[in-house]
Amino acid sequence: MGLQLTPFRGLRYDPDRVGSLAAVTSPPYDVIVRPDGLIHLESADPHNIVRLILPQAATPSIRNEQAADTLDDWLAEGILTADAEPALYVYEQRDTTGHLQRGVIGALRLSEPSEGVVLPHEDVMPHVVAERAALMRATYANLEPLLLTYRSDDSATASPYTTSAVVERTADRPPLLSTTTEDGFGHRLWAITDPAELAGIQTDLTHHQALIADGHHRWATYLRLRAEHPSPSPWDHGLVLLVDTAHYPLRVRAIHRLLHGLPVSDALAALEGHFRVRHLATPLPEALTALAEAATAGNAFLLAGDGDFHLVDRPDPSLLARTIPADRPQAWRTLDATVLHATLLDHIWHIPEDSPARIAYIHDTAATVEKAEQDGGTAVLMHPVREEVVRDLARQGVTMPRKSTSFGPKPASGLVLRTLSH
């Protein structure tokens, strides 16, 4: 049946009730570098969305109750209001270089991976899914859209009601909101309520499948909550942003690792005889260039945390043969993330990948290095994988190691929410 995208009554900030729309937005919950970024966002505006997506309290249950109470208060006070009629939303992002991305936000019918409609490409951590599920149960809302991609072929039709045609036509109209966040990104949002345009988008999307670009844990959370509620129910759908990468290719970046309790000296000592290690007395940009060059020839990583950079590459082939599962495609077996998790974390450093006390996943490169230097741990900087590799593996039903990729730009949280009670 393909993608089934449903209009919904978006929940949005009343711009007259907050300091600015930019001040109440946030990156997605898993991109925020904690605690510094969290404190910064909380200080930006008393109504910043981070108070819903990452509530702060002594215990998980209190955090979730606090988020639910905060949402109820903001609804009662008119800080957040539901749009008058159901809509799909065109969302645009433009960065300081002029890079433009547009997509459609809606409530997508949930499907299992076996249905081949929405393809995951990464494993998830059960404790994160449990945390997100508890928060969504408490708030009875989808607080931030996850990012999905699909590829259209508009050359086959001249219809003015394909998704891409409606998106482009809508972007010529005055937007519902327009704001620029402190990272320099411009954001604009429009509502599509015309029945013909809605029907055209819905018909068009039924011919497509999507790849989860960002938000595997939220998608797994959606599926868990759907299983808990007899169908039909509002939990049959989840909030997503769909981007057509035939028109707006995404950027793919790496997600780095911060290893707590492992000094760089110990990490390097354990690699002796297994990998080539070269010390780089260069600033971060040059070190990343060296990593990119080394990655063209095979697996490569950059370690940091002691004030310097250390390029790690050329793993011992016999070590890889012993430590990497042989029952997966060659493209999976040679991924940097596979070698990191199966060989380095499991075999050499003995760090469990699902232990928040031992390993953190950080998107920002400089922040990863800085926190490693502050904490006395080891930053493992990664080189991004190509999008076509991700998509090909997903179509084979092969999931990559968790937190292998960072597609972007990611939708800002706080521009439009979906409450399941409207």
Side-chain angles (χ1 to χ4, degrees):
M1 186 61 183
L3 301 169
Q4 299 179 45
L5 196 65
T6 301
F8 69 103
R9 292 179 61 198
L11 198 64
R12 298 187 295 111
Y13 282 98
D14 181 342
D16 295 329
R17 302 297 305 276
V18 296
S20 73
L21 289 175
V24 296
T25 64
S26 162
Y29 79 96
D30 58 339
V31 178
I32 298 168
V33 179
R34 290 166 254 183
D36 298 347
L38 185 62
I39 295 170
H40 175 72
L41 289 164
E42 287 181 330
S43 304
D45 189 285
H47 301 109
N48 189 285
I49 190 68
V50 77
R51 297 179 186 276
L52 299 183
I53 63 175
L54 282 176
Q56 298 301 295
T59 68
S61 61
I62 296 176
R63 286 197 292 270
N64 296 330
E65 291 172 12
Q66 179 176 293
D69 290 343
T70 299
L71 179 57
D72 289 343
D73 290 344
W74 291 357
L75 288 169
E77 297 167 13
I79 304 298
L80 289 168
T81 60
D83 286 337
E85 56 183 321
L88 296 176
Y89 297 86
V90 172
Y91 174 46
E92 175 189 281
Q93 295 163 276
R94 188 188 300 268
D95 69 13
T96 54
T97 70
H99 179 79
L100 180 68
Q101 178 173 289
R102 288 178 182 146
V104 180
I105 295 175
L108 185 68
R109 176 191 170 273
L110 304 181
S111 59
E112 296 292 340
S114 59
E115 297 177 55
V117 177
V118 175
L119 305 175
H121 70 265
E122 287 185 359
D123 291 330
V124 297
M125 292 174 270
H127 76 276
V128 177
V129 175
E131 290 171 0
R132 291 290 105 186
L135 179 62
M136 286 190 204
R137 284 191 208 98
T139 57
Y140 210 68
N142 298 153
L143 300 171
E144 45 186 346
L146 54 86
L147 177 61
L148 304 182
T149 71
Y150 73 101
R151 293 189 65 81
S152 67
D153 182 13
D154 290 348
S155 61
T157 176
S159 169
Y161 293 107
T162 62
T163 305
S164 60
V166 175
V167 165
E168 297 309 304
R169 188 163 59 248
T170 301
D172 288 333
R173 303 168 184 163
L176 285 176
L177 64 85
S178 178
T179 190
T180 300
T181 45
E182 66 177 7
D183 57 5
F185 270 87
H187 306 265
R188 297 199 294 171
L189 190 77
W190 297 260
I192 303 172
T193 56
D194 177 81
E197 292 184 331
L198 291 174
I201 290 175
Q202 290 175 302
T203 300
D204 179 36
L205 290 177
T206 59
H207 302 293
H208 297 289
Q209 66 177 186
L211 175 74
I212 300 176
D214 185 70
H216 283 81
H217 289 90
R218 279 167 282 169
W219 184 258
T221 300
Y222 289 168
L223 293 177
R224 173 180 291 195
L225 293 171
R226 181 186 68 166
E228 296 175 0
H229 296 83
S231 187
S233 84
W235 299 100
D236 292 340
H237 295 76
L239 185 64
V240 306
L241 166 64
L242 274 169
V243 173
D244 178 3
T245 53
H247 292 267
Y248 298 104
L250 268 64
R251 293 174 172 174
V252 187
R253 291 186 170 90
I255 302 177
H256 310 296
R257 275 65 170 164
L258 173 61
L259 308 181
H260 302 294
L262 180 67
V264 174
S265 58
D266 292 351
L268 294 174
L271 296 177
E272 187 173 347
H274 300 301
F275 286 77
R276 182 176 69 168
V277 178
R278 287 176 286 167
H279 174 256
L280 303 179
T282 60
L284 177 58
E286 286 83 349
L288 290 173
T289 298
L291 173 63
E293 292 172 352
T296 62
N299 302 117
F301 310 91
L302 201 61
L303 304 192
D306 61 353
D308 290 314
F309 296 101
H310 310 271
L311 184 61
V312 176
D313 65 354
R314 296 190 183 179
D316 176 4
S318 64
L319 173 67
L320 299 183
R322 292 196 310 272
T323 56
I324 294 178
D327 59 346
R328 304 286 182 92
Q330 178 69 8
W332 181 90
R333 300 183 74 245
T334 55
L335 289 170
D336 286 342
T338 298
V339 173
L340 172 64
H341 285 264
T343 305
L344 288 170
L345 292 178
D346 289 354
H347 183 77
I348 292 180
W349 292 328
H350 307 292
I351 295 176
E353 61 180 342
D354 58 353
S355 172
R358 297 296 310 279
I359 183 169
Y361 300 84
I362 304 178
H363 293 71
D364 185 271
T365 307
T368 310
V369 175
E370 181 181 352
K371 288 189 71 65
E373 292 177 347
Q374 290 173 350
D375 301 346
T378 295
V380 182
L381 306 184
M382 309 281 287
H383 185 69
V385 65
R386 299 191 317 278
E387 180 181 358
E388 55 266 31
V389 173
V390 176
R391 194 175 295 275
D392 288 346
L393 286 172
R395 285 176 174 154
Q396 296 176 58
V398 178
T399 54
M400 298 172 64
R402 59 193 58 167
K403 298 291 184 181
S404 295
T405 58
S406 176
F407 285 89
K410 305 177 191 303
S413 299
L415 295 179
V416 61
L417 293 66
R418 173 180 177 248
T419 176
L420 278 68
S421 58
H422 285 81

PDB file of all heavy atoms in Angstrom, residues 81-104:
ATOM      1  N   THR A  81      -1.331  26.065  21.001  1.00  0.00           N
ATOM      2  CA  THR A  81      -2.716  25.962  20.548  1.00  0.00           C
ATOM      3  C   THR A  81      -2.795  25.052  19.332  1.00  0.00           C
ATOM      4  O   THR A  81      -1.853  24.992  18.523  1.00  0.00           O
ATOM      5  CB  THR A  81      -3.286  27.347  20.178  1.00  0.00           C
ATOM      6  OG1 THR A  81      -2.488  27.921  19.121  1.00  0.00           O
ATOM      7  CG2 THR A  81      -3.290  28.282  21.368  1.00  0.00           C
ATOM      8  N   ALA A  82      -3.912  24.345  19.204  1.00  0.00           N
ATOM      9  CA  ALA A  82      -4.124  23.445  18.072  1.00  0.00           C
ATOM     10  C   ALA A  82      -4.696  24.220  16.900  1.00  0.00           C
ATOM     11  O   ALA A  82      -5.570  25.080  17.065  1.00  0.00           O
ATOM     12  CB  ALA A  82      -5.058  22.312  18.467  1.00  0.00           C
ATOM     13  N   ASP A  83      -4.200  23.947  15.703  1.00  0.00           N
ATOM     14  CA  ASP A  83      -4.749  24.584  14.514  1.00  0.00           C
ATOM     15  C   ASP A  83      -6.219  24.203  14.345  1.00  0.00           C
ATOM     16  O   ASP A  83      -6.659  23.135  14.781  1.00  0.00           O
ATOM     17  CB  ASP A  83      -3.947  24.179  13.282  1.00  0.00           C
ATOM     18  CG  ASP A  83      -2.589  24.879  13.224  1.00  0.00           C
ATOM     19  OD1 ASP A  83      -2.449  25.943  13.845  1.00  0.00           O
ATOM     20  OD2 ASP A  83      -1.675  24.347  12.554  1.00  0.00           O
ATOM     21  N   ALA A  84      -6.959  25.078  13.669  1.00  0.00           N
ATOM     22  CA  ALA A  84      -8.408  24.924  13.593  1.00  0.00           C
ATOM     23  C   ALA A  84      -8.836  23.702  12.795  1.00  0.00           C
ATOM     24  O   ALA A  84      -9.870  23.090  13.089  1.00  0.00           O
ATOM     25  CB  ALA A  84      -9.023  26.189  12.985  1.00  0.00           C
ATOM     26  N   GLU A  85      -8.066  23.317  11.773  1.00  0.00           N
ATOM     27  CA  GLU A  85      -8.453  22.173  10.948  1.00  0.00           C
ATOM     28  C   GLU A  85      -7.240  21.305  10.654  1.00  0.00           C
ATOM     29  O   GLU A  85      -6.101  21.779  10.679  1.00  0.00           O
ATOM     30  CB  GLU A  85      -9.115  22.645   9.656  1.00  0.00           C
ATOM     31  CG  GLU A  85      -8.275  23.598   8.818  1.00  0.00           C
ATOM     32  CD  GLU A  85      -9.018  24.095   7.594  1.00  0.00           C
ATOM     33  OE1 GLU A  85      -9.739  23.287   6.976  1.00  0.00           O
ATOM     34  OE2 GLU A  85      -8.890  25.284   7.255  1.00  0.00           O
ATOM     35  N   PRO A  86      -7.482  20.022  10.366  1.00  0.00           N
ATOM     36  CA  PRO A  86      -6.363  19.126  10.067  1.00  0.00           C
ATOM     37  C   PRO A  86      -5.602  19.584   8.824  1.00  0.00           C
ATOM     38  O   PRO A  86      -6.194  20.099   7.871  1.00  0.00           O
ATOM     39  CB  PRO A  86      -7.048  17.774   9.836  1.00  0.00           C
ATOM     40  CG  PRO A  86      -8.363  17.882  10.536  1.00  0.00           C
ATOM     41  CD  PRO A  86      -8.770  19.315  10.387  1.00  0.00           C
ATOM     42  N   ALA A  87      -4.322  19.375   8.842  1.00  0.00           N
ATOM     43  CA  ALA A  87      -3.476  19.798   7.723  1.00  0.00           C
ATOM     44  C   ALA A  87      -2.263  18.889   7.621  1.00  0.00           C
ATOM     45  O   ALA A  87      -1.883  18.205   8.577  1.00  0.00           O
ATOM     46  CB  ALA A  87      -3.022  21.251   7.918  1.00  0.00           C
ATOM     47  N   LEU A  88      -1.667  18.867   6.446  1.00  0.00           N
ATOM     48  CA  LEU A  88      -0.287  18.454   6.291  1.00  0.00           C
ATOM     49  C   LEU A  88       0.535  19.736   6.252  1.00  0.00           C
ATOM     50  O   LEU A  88       0.038  20.786   5.847  1.00  0.00           O
ATOM     51  CB  LEU A  88      -0.084  17.638   5.007  1.00  0.00           C
ATOM     52  CG  LEU A  88      -0.827  16.304   4.931  1.00  0.00           C
ATOM     53  CD1 LEU A  88      -0.599  15.649   3.564  1.00  0.00           C
ATOM     54  CD2 LEU A  88      -0.406  15.364   6.049  1.00  0.00           C
ATOM     55  N   TYR A  89       1.788  19.654   6.662  1.00  0.00           N
ATOM     56  CA  TYR A  89       2.598  20.864   6.795  1.00  0.00           C
ATOM     57  C   TYR A  89       3.847  20.767   5.938  1.00  0.00           C
ATOM     58  O   TYR A  89       4.591  19.775   6.010  1.00  0.00           O
ATOM     59  CB  TYR A  89       2.993  21.083   8.254  1.00  0.00           C
ATOM     60  CG  TYR A  89       1.802  21.327   9.164  1.00  0.00           C
ATOM     61  CD1 TYR A  89       1.103  20.257   9.725  1.00  0.00           C
ATOM     62  CD2 TYR A  89       1.370  22.627   9.442  1.00  0.00           C
ATOM     63  CE1 TYR A  89       0.000  20.467  10.544  1.00  0.00           C
ATOM     64  CE2 TYR A  89       0.273  22.851  10.265  1.00  0.00           C
ATOM     65  CZ  TYR A  89      -0.402  21.768  10.806  1.00  0.00           C
ATOM     66  OH  TYR A  89      -1.504  21.985  11.612  1.00  0.00           O
ATOM     67  N   VAL A  90       4.057  21.776   5.108  1.00  0.00           N
ATOM     68  CA  VAL A  90       5.317  21.892   4.379  1.00  0.00           C
ATOM     69  C   VAL A  90       6.315  22.589   5.293  1.00  0.00           C
ATOM     70  O   VAL A  90       6.021  23.638   5.872  1.00  0.00           O
ATOM     71  CB  VAL A  90       5.140  22.691   3.075  1.00  0.00           C
ATOM     72  CG1 VAL A  90       6.507  22.983   2.429  1.00  0.00           C
ATOM     73  CG2 VAL A  90       4.262  21.919   2.101  1.00  0.00           C
ATOM     74  N   TYR A  91       7.484  21.974   5.413  1.00  0.00           N
ATOM     75  CA  TYR A  91       8.521  22.504   6.309  1.00  0.00           C
ATOM     76  C   TYR A  91       9.783  22.736   5.507  1.00  0.00           C
ATOM     77  O   TYR A  91      10.248  21.858   4.774  1.00  0.00           O
ATOM     78  CB  TYR A  91       8.776  21.507   7.436  1.00  0.00           C
ATOM     79  CG  TYR A  91       9.922  21.870   8.365  1.00  0.00           C
ATOM     80  CD1 TYR A  91      10.067  23.152   8.885  1.00  0.00           C
ATOM     81  CD2 TYR A  91      10.856  20.908   8.743  1.00  0.00           C
ATOM     82  CE1 TYR A  91      11.108  23.469   9.746  1.00  0.00           C
ATOM     83  CE2 TYR A  91      11.895  21.212   9.607  1.00  0.00           C
ATOM     84  CZ  TYR A  91      12.018  22.503  10.099  1.00  0.00           C
ATOM     85  OH  TYR A  91      13.044  22.819  10.944  1.00  0.00           O
ATOM     86  N   GLU A  92      10.344  23.933   5.655  1.00  0.00           N
ATOM     87  CA  GLU A  92      11.552  24.316   4.923  1.00  0.00           C
ATOM     88  C   GLU A  92      12.663  24.695   5.887  1.00  0.00           C
ATOM     89  O   GLU A  92      12.421  25.377   6.886  1.00  0.00           O
ATOM     90  CB  GLU A  92      11.244  25.507   4.012  1.00  0.00           C
ATOM     91  CG  GLU A  92      12.463  26.071   3.284  1.00  0.00           C
ATOM     92  CD  GLU A  92      12.144  27.371   2.570  1.00  0.00           C
ATOM     93  OE1 GLU A  92      11.551  27.293   1.481  1.00  0.00           O
ATOM     94  OE2 GLU A  92      12.479  28.456   3.108  1.00  0.00           O
ATOM     95  N   GLN A  93      13.869  24.251   5.565  1.00  0.00           N
ATOM     96  CA  GLN A  93      15.066  24.646   6.307  1.00  0.00           C
ATOM     97  C   GLN A  93      16.106  25.153   5.324  1.00  0.00           C
ATOM     98  O   GLN A  93      16.307  24.563   4.255  1.00  0.00           O
ATOM     99  CB  GLN A  93      15.651  23.454   7.074  1.00  0.00           C
ATOM    100  CG  GLN A  93      14.758  22.906   8.170  1.00  0.00           C
ATOM    101  CD  GLN A  93      15.202  21.514   8.602  1.00  0.00           C
ATOM    102  OE1 GLN A  93      14.841  20.512   7.987  1.00  0.00           O
ATOM    103  NE2 GLN A  93      15.977  21.437   9.665  1.00  0.00           N
ATOM    104  N   ARG A  94      16.777  26.229   5.698  1.00  0.00           N
ATOM    105  CA  ARG A  94      17.845  26.769   4.857  1.00  0.00           C
ATOM    106  C   ARG A  94      19.006  27.167   5.761  1.00  0.00           C
ATOM    107  O   ARG A  94      18.821  27.906   6.733  1.00  0.00           O
ATOM    108  CB  ARG A  94      17.359  27.992   4.075  1.00  0.00           C
ATOM    109  CG  ARG A  94      18.364  28.502   3.024  1.00  0.00           C
ATOM    110  CD  ARG A  94      17.911  29.829   2.432  1.00  0.00           C
ATOM    111  NE  ARG A  94      16.621  29.730   1.776  1.00  0.00           N
ATOM    112  CZ  ARG A  94      16.455  29.458   0.481  1.00  0.00           C
ATOM    113  NH1 ARG A  94      17.512  29.254  -0.278  1.00  0.00           N
ATOM    114  NH2 ARG A  94      15.237  29.408  -0.040  1.00  0.00           N
ATOM    115  N   ASP A  95      20.209  26.664   5.457  1.00  0.00           N
ATOM    116  CA  ASP A  95      21.344  26.966   6.322  1.00  0.00           C
ATOM    117  C   ASP A  95      22.121  28.172   5.807  1.00  0.00           C
ATOM    118  O   ASP A  95      21.749  28.807   4.807  1.00  0.00           O
ATOM    119  CB  ASP A  95      22.251  25.744   6.509  1.00  0.00           C
ATOM    120  CG  ASP A  95      23.010  25.358   5.240  1.00  0.00           C
ATOM    121  OD1 ASP A  95      23.037  26.151   4.274  1.00  0.00           O
ATOM    122  OD2 ASP A  95      23.599  24.262   5.220  1.00  0.00           O
ATOM    123  N   THR A  96      23.198  28.501   6.483  1.00  0.00           N
ATOM    124  CA  THR A  96      23.949  29.716   6.167  1.00  0.00           C
ATOM    125  C   THR A  96      24.666  29.624   4.825  1.00  0.00           C
ATOM    126  O   THR A  96      25.062  30.643   4.267  1.00  0.00           O
ATOM    127  CB  THR A  96      24.986  30.004   7.270  1.00  0.00           C
ATOM    128  OG1 THR A  96      25.808  28.836   7.468  1.00  0.00           O
ATOM    129  CG2 THR A  96      24.289  30.339   8.586  1.00  0.00           C
ATOM    130  N   THR A  97      24.834  28.422   4.295  1.00  0.00           N
ATOM    131  CA  THR A  97      25.472  28.258   2.978  1.00  0.00           C
ATOM    132  C   THR A  97      24.460  28.323   1.851  1.00  0.00           C
ATOM    133  O   THR A  97      24.834  28.263   0.680  1.00  0.00           O
ATOM    134  CB  THR A  97      26.222  26.916   2.897  1.00  0.00           C
ATOM    135  OG1 THR A  97      25.270  25.836   2.876  1.00  0.00           O
ATOM    136  CG2 THR A  97      27.158  26.754   4.078  1.00  0.00           C
ATOM    137  N   GLY A  98      23.170  28.397   2.200  1.00  0.00           N
ATOM    138  CA  GLY A  98      22.128  28.404   1.184  1.00  0.00           C
ATOM    139  C   GLY A  98      21.538  27.033   0.907  1.00  0.00           C
ATOM    140  O   GLY A  98      20.624  26.900   0.085  1.00  0.00           O
ATOM    141  N   HIS A  99      22.054  25.996   1.579  1.00  0.00           N
ATOM    142  CA  HIS A  99      21.506  24.648   1.390  1.00  0.00           C
ATOM    143  C   HIS A  99      20.040  24.627   1.817  1.00  0.00           C
ATOM    144  O   HIS A  99      19.690  25.042   2.926  1.00  0.00           O
ATOM    145  CB  HIS A  99      22.310  23.636   2.212  1.00  0.00           C
ATOM    146  CG  HIS A  99      21.796  22.231   2.087  1.00  0.00           C
ATOM    147  ND1 HIS A  99      22.077  21.426   1.005  1.00  0.00           N
ATOM    148  CD2 HIS A  99      21.010  21.491   2.900  1.00  0.00           C
ATOM    149  CE1 HIS A  99      21.498  20.247   1.162  1.00  0.00           C
ATOM    150  NE2 HIS A  99      20.838  20.268   2.302  1.00  0.00           N
ATOM    151  N   LEU A 100      19.183  24.121   0.937  1.00  0.00           N
ATOM    152  CA  LEU A 100      17.740  24.161   1.134  1.00  0.00           C
ATOM    153  C   LEU A 100      17.173  22.749   1.252  1.00  0.00           C
ATOM    154  O   LEU A 100      17.567  21.855   0.499  1.00  0.00           O
ATOM    155  CB  LEU A 100      17.076  24.886  -0.038  1.00  0.00           C
ATOM    156  CG  LEU A 100      15.549  25.021  -0.019  1.00  0.00           C
ATOM    157  CD1 LEU A 100      15.108  25.959   1.093  1.00  0.00           C
ATOM    158  CD2 LEU A 100      15.056  25.543  -1.379  1.00  0.00           C
ATOM    159  N   GLN A 101      16.280  22.571   2.197  1.00  0.00           N
ATOM    160  CA  GLN A 101      15.571  21.294   2.333  1.00  0.00           C
ATOM    161  C   GLN A 101      14.090  21.570   2.583  1.00  0.00           C
ATOM    162  O   GLN A 101      13.749  22.419   3.408  1.00  0.00           O
ATOM    163  CB  GLN A 101      16.131  20.477   3.493  1.00  0.00           C
ATOM    164  CG  GLN A 101      15.414  19.142   3.736  1.00  0.00           C
ATOM    165  CD  GLN A 101      16.129  18.313   4.777  1.00  0.00           C
ATOM    166  OE1 GLN A 101      17.214  17.798   4.527  1.00  0.00           O
ATOM    167  NE2 GLN A 101      15.539  18.199   5.952  1.00  0.00           N
ATOM    168  N   ARG A 102      13.244  20.865   1.859  1.00  0.00           N
ATOM    169  CA  ARG A 102      11.807  20.969   2.067  1.00  0.00           C
ATOM    170  C   ARG A 102      11.211  19.579   2.160  1.00  0.00           C
ATOM    171  O   ARG A 102      11.666  18.643   1.490  1.00  0.00           O
ATOM    172  CB  ARG A 102      11.127  21.734   0.920  1.00  0.00           C
ATOM    173  CG  ARG A 102      11.404  23.219   0.904  1.00  0.00           C
ATOM    174  CD  ARG A 102      10.737  23.892  -0.287  1.00  0.00           C
ATOM    175  NE  ARG A 102      11.040  25.328  -0.319  1.00  0.00           N
ATOM    176  CZ  ARG A 102      11.195  26.039  -1.438  1.00  0.00           C
ATOM    177  NH1 ARG A 102      11.058  25.451  -2.617  1.00  0.00           N
ATOM    178  NH2 ARG A 102      11.470  27.316  -1.372  1.00  0.00           N
ATOM    179  N   GLY A 103      10.171  19.459   2.985  1.00  0.00           N
ATOM    180  CA  GLY A 103       9.484  18.185   3.120  1.00  0.00           C
ATOM    181  C   GLY A 103       8.079  18.409   3.648  1.00  0.00           C
ATOM    182  O   GLY A 103       7.623  19.540   3.805  1.00  0.00           O
ATOM    183  N   VAL A 104       7.397  17.290   3.910  1.00  0.00           N
ATOM    184  CA  VAL A 104       6.007  17.322   4.368  1.00  0.00           C
ATOM    185  C   VAL A 104       5.924  16.647   5.728  1.00  0.00           C
ATOM    186  O   VAL A 104       6.405  15.516   5.906  1.00  0.00           O
ATOM    187  CB  VAL A 104       5.070  16.611   3.382  1.00  0.00           C
ATOM    188  CG1 VAL A 104       3.632  16.668   3.880  1.00  0.00           C
ATOM    189  CG2 VAL A 104       5.162  17.243   2.005  1.00  0.00           C
TER     190      VAL A 104
END
